[in-house]
Amino acid sequence: MTEPNDIESTDGITWLADVWHAQDLNVTFARGISPEELVIRLGAAPGMSLDRITATEAIGMTGTDGCARVARFGECGGWSFALEPICPSAGWWGKPGLSAGGVEVLHLTPKGYDPPSEAWYYRDGTTVGHFSIGEIPDGDMTFLAPAFEAAGLIDDPVLSERPEDFDSVRATLAVLEEHFGLSLPRDAVLEGRLPAAVTALTHPENLGD
C-alpha cells in the first residue's frame, strides 16, 4: 500500500454514538499487532487486502457472493482498528485467541439484530470480560466501574441525578475512550477510503464465528 495506515486523530470515539447503530458497525481495537495482523485474526486471508474502499462500498459488499463480511482497517493513536458493518464480527462472544501473544483487544458490537450492545475485552490470550453498553461492568471488568459511576452510569437510574436526555451509549464510549486512549478518525471512517479485507467468505453457521 502506498499510503500509510497510521492516521493522526483527536476525534476520540464518542462520535460513534451518532452512527454506530445506523451502520450496525462492529469496531475492534487491538494494541500490540499491526492492522494487517488484526484483520487476519478476524478471518482475512494473509496478503489478500483489497483496494481502499468507502464505508458505503463496504456495506454494499457485505453479504454478496464470496464476501459475507468485510473489514476496513487502519491505525490510530497506537491502536490498530477494524470496522466491519452489518455482519457480526469474529471479535464477538469470547474470542480470546484474538489477543494471543500479549495483545490487548477491545471489541464493540452494536448488536442491532439483538440488543443490547456489548463490549468485549481480551488480553494476552484470555477473555477478561464483557458488559452491556450502558451498564456497570462487573466481574473482572470492575476496574472500569468507578469511571462509569462518575460518568453517571449507575445501577439504579432512579437514584441518578443525570438529565432526561442522558445518552448512556455516549457516556460509555467516553469512559472507554479515556481509559484506553482510543480515537478513530471520523472523516476517514465516514467519508474517506481505508484499506479493506474480506474477513469471511461465507456466512458462518454461528453468529460471530
Side-chain angles (χ1 to χ4, degrees):
M1 283 171 267
T2 58
E3 299 177 59
N5 293 333
D6 193 357
I7 305 170
E8 295 290 334
S9 171
T10 57
D11 293 340
I13 64 169
T14 57
W15 62 266
L16 282 173
D18 301 325
V19 301
W20 199 26
H21 290 88
Q23 296 191 9
D24 217 8
L25 190 63
N26 299 279
V27 183
T28 306
F29 295 97
R31 182 159 56 185
I33 53 174
S34 68
E36 290 80 5
E37 175 61 23
L38 173 58
V39 293
I40 289 171
R41 293 190 182 198
L42 289 171
M48 295 298 290
S49 294
L50 307 171
D51 291 336
R52 291 173 177 255
I53 62 174
T54 65
T56 300
E57 288 169 337
I59 291 171
M61 290 176 60
T62 301
T64 60
D65 186 33
C67 180
R69 188 169 62 219
V70 63
R72 298 163 71 225
F73 59 90
E75 184 174 1
C76 187
W79 287 84
S80 296
F81 65 83
L83 313 166
E84 297 169 287
I86 305 173
C87 186
S89 168
W92 178 60
W93 200 259
K95 301 298 192 305
L98 290 174
S99 64
V103 174
E104 252 185 303
V105 173
L106 181 68
H107 176 70
L108 308 175
T109 176
K111 287 183 66 188
Y113 55 91
D114 184 24
S117 306
E118 293 178 351
W120 286 77
Y121 181 48
Y122 312 105
R123 186 173 58 216
D124 197 19
T126 63
T127 300
V128 178
H130 73 283
F131 60 90
S132 297
I133 300 296
E135 297 182 2
I136 300 291
D138 56 14
D140 290 337
M141 297 292 289
T142 53
F143 62 90
L144 288 172
F148 273 59
E149 292 170 354
L153 292 152
I154 65 174
D155 288 330
D156 189 351
V158 174
L159 301 178
S160 173
E161 297 180 358
R162 63 195 189 191
E164 292 184 4
D165 61 351
F166 181 79
D167 187 335
S168 61
V169 172
R170 194 178 302 275
T172 299
L173 293 174
V175 172
L176 296 176
E177 172 186 312
E178 175 67 21
H179 182 86
F180 292 103
L182 301 173
S183 189
L184 284 173
R186 180 176 182 133
D187 289 346
V189 169
L190 297 182
E191 307 294 339
R193 292 184 175 274
L194 293 172
V198 174
T199 51
L201 297 175
T202 59
H203 287 286
E205 183 176 340
N206 298 305
L207 292 178
D209 284 351

